[in-house]
Amino acid sequence: MAQRESMEYDVVIVGGGPAGLAAAIRLKQIGSDISVCVLEKGSEIGAHILSGAVIDPRALTELIPDWKEKGAPVETMVTDDRFCFFTRGAALTLPHFLFPPLMSNRGNYIVSLSNLCKWLAAQAESLGVEIYPGFPAHDLIVENGAVKGVITGDLGIAKDGHHKDGYTPGMELRGKYTFFAEGAHGSLSKQLCAEFGLQEGREPQKFGIGLKELWELPAGQHKKGLVLHGMGWPLDNETGGGLFMYHWGDNLCSVGFVVHLNYTNPWLDPFNEFQRAKTHPAIAKILTGGKRIGYGARAITEGGTQSVPKLSFPGGALIGCSAGFVNLPRIKGSHNAMKTGMLAAEAAAAALKAGRGGDTLSEYDAAYATSWVAKDLHHVRNAKPLWSKLGTLLALPFIGLDLWTNQLFGVSLFGTLGHGGADFATLRKAADCPKIAYPKPDGTLTFDRLSSVFVSNTNHEEDQPVHLVLKDPAIPISVNLPEYGEPAQRYCPAGVYEVVEEAGHPRFQINAQNCVHCKTCDIKDPSQNIVWVTPEGGGGPNYTNM
Ligand SMILES: Cc1cc2nc3c(=O)[nH]c(=O)nc-3n(C[C@H](O)[C@H](O)[C@H](O)COP(=O)(O)OP(=O)(O)OC[C@H]3O[C@@H](n4cnc5c(N)ncnc54)[C@H](O)[C@@H]3O)c2cc1C
Ligand code: SF4
């Protein structure tokens, strides 16, 4: 039996996104002797990073003030910022005075967050951080009530569980502190919330599914620096979400669509809502003649301040979207992810200097509470609950009013509203909901799932255990199919789940190799029967410029 290797660090960081990399850099800036490693499940840093992204550079500037001189891939400044309400055939541009300054994109940049992470990783490595792409953290090490590190996934296990030639057991990475920077709905972060009761007394976390395509536009249709957000059609009034379109770089255009995962109609199909949204005349005229070159999807946290869990626990901390710091009306989370990583790093560096390790970094919770991140989220705390309770049309003026009173007077007429239940509990029965007919893809403006997964460059070793674990394999057919029309067939943006006929009976099929790691199934399955675990290292999408 092969032995499990073990390595020790001062700080182990799970996840090489903006939060994890900012934490790693901050630790090394404070103490070059602090040993830090970053584990990343993607084949390289950035491979699994999918975002809009219009970024607020505030945290980046605090972390690396001379990022411009150092060549950060942050080049396209926002020059035109538009907000539209779509009906089926028309687009109404909303005037800027309706939105308070906190919504402004002045001074912000359109980037590929994936490319920015690659650059951050190079900065971290130059400071001595050890980065291990292709190494998913699969299990927690918890001893005597404290997190002591993580175990990476085993390599070389066959689908049926037997050890193949070259089987290598995962490694133990032990740290005096372990930071979890897994992004939205992290598989280990979820376990930590349960193990240490981190969500107790807080509202449940809320999510959206974000789908995105990268396009190359004909030069005449590209308006570098243009940011466009749209709401309304094709979503109905009860379903939250909307479209984004960012023009950047050399004729590149990031176009995407978010659907709030508290939608109620199980026949709704977020992927096809996105495809339909692109056929709106105002969007189609920009994309027509262009070429789609990338696709991906990822969950986004939407719960805001009400849903932020307790951040620290014995031996570790949640940073970035593992805890959920997205400012929903601004659709921005990367600045808050970076800043919370930096705050945790400062708390850990001070604790290590004082000879501590393995205890609770309460200083990090305290620093967050007085930080600009907490203020950023506090001002917008009622946007999501108002949207969920009132529907898009009625919510818009109330959200506008609430953002203005928060910005001007620091108060909300609504106090702090709750979110209600978790997203998996919002589906109504299929028989009570109208079916939705989606148009067939045309292959130039609109696409099907399989050709989309193809341009996400997704790849998994085929002969490995399925990483989408069903707690009870019977539930998809015995419960989800009759009650909800098995919605996994529609909410999964990669066609992983199918109900196929076999000898006259329905069978639930999991095409795990297509999974783009968005985590939607683990969030939205109405029976909470699907558990997303990390597959063998390096598997998943290989995003470029996303
Ligand atoms: C469609 C969409 C549009 C968005 N638009 C914007 C925008 O315009 N501006 C903005 O500021 N924000 C935007 N956001 C939000 C922003 O992307 C997030 O707030 C930000 O990426 C969070 O950073 P993070 O480091 O916490 O997590 P992530 O960016 O998700 O990074 C987590 C990393 O950890 C890795 N990982 C996860 N689990 C493990 C594990 N167990 N072992 C090893 N590695 C692991 C992942 O592969 C990934 O590389 C958007 C999000 C979406 C989905
Ligand atoms: S299987 Fe789950 S995590 Fe993978 S792409 Fe589908 S919904 Fe997302």
Side-chain angles (χ1 to χ4, degrees), residues 229-260:
H229 289 116
M231 274 184 192
W233 189 87
L235 295 178
D236 64 23
N237 193 47
E238 277 68 51
T239 308
L243 178 125
F244 63 85
M245 183 178 239
Y246 307 145
H247 295 235
W248 63 287
D250 290 334
N251 294 327
L252 293 176
C253 178
S254 298
V255 54
F257 199 75
V258 174
V259 176
H260 298 184

Side-chain angles (χ1 to χ4, degrees), residues 298-309:
R298 182 78 175 92
I300 179 169
T301 59
E302 295 185 340
T305 187
Q306 297 93 316
S307 304
V308 171

Side-chain angles (χ1 to χ4, degrees), residues 452-506:
S452 300
V453 174
F454 184 74
V455 290
S456 71
N457 300 311
T458 297
N459 186 33
H460 288 93
E461 161 62 50
E462 297 235 351
D463 188 15
Q464 64 170 306
V466 173
H467 71 280
L468 303 143
V469 180
L470 300 180
K471 290 183 201 162
D472 177 349
I475 279 182
I477 299 301
S478 64
V479 178
N480 285 358
L481 187 60
E483 295 197 3
Y484 305 102
E486 185 42 275
Q489 302 173 88
R490 291 172 291 280
Y491 61 61
C492 172
V496 168
Y497 301 107
E498 288 179 286
V499 176
V500 294
E501 281 289 308
E502 207 169 68
H505 295 286

Side-chain angles (χ1 to χ4, degrees), residues 262-336:
N262 58 0
Y263 69 82
T264 58
N265 183 345
W267 300 112
L268 186 134
D269 180 331
F271 175 86
N272 278 315
E273 293 293 338
F274 176 32
Q275 298 306 316
R276 245 193 336 180
K278 289 184 291 169
T279 66
H280 191 283
I283 302 302
K285 76 173 183 212
I286 298 171
L287 297 178
T288 301
K291 183 170 184 249
R292 184 185 69 155
I293 53 174
Y295 169 77
R298 182 78 175 92
I300 179 169
T301 59
E302 295 185 340
T305 187
Q306 297 93 316
S307 304
V308 171
K310 183 169 179 338
L311 300 175
S312 61
F313 44 85
L318 301 179
I319 61 177
C321 280
S322 271
F325 295 112
V326 170
N327 180 320
L328 176 66
R330 294 182 77 201
I331 328 179
K332 287 185 185 59
S334 56
H335 61 310
N336 289 343

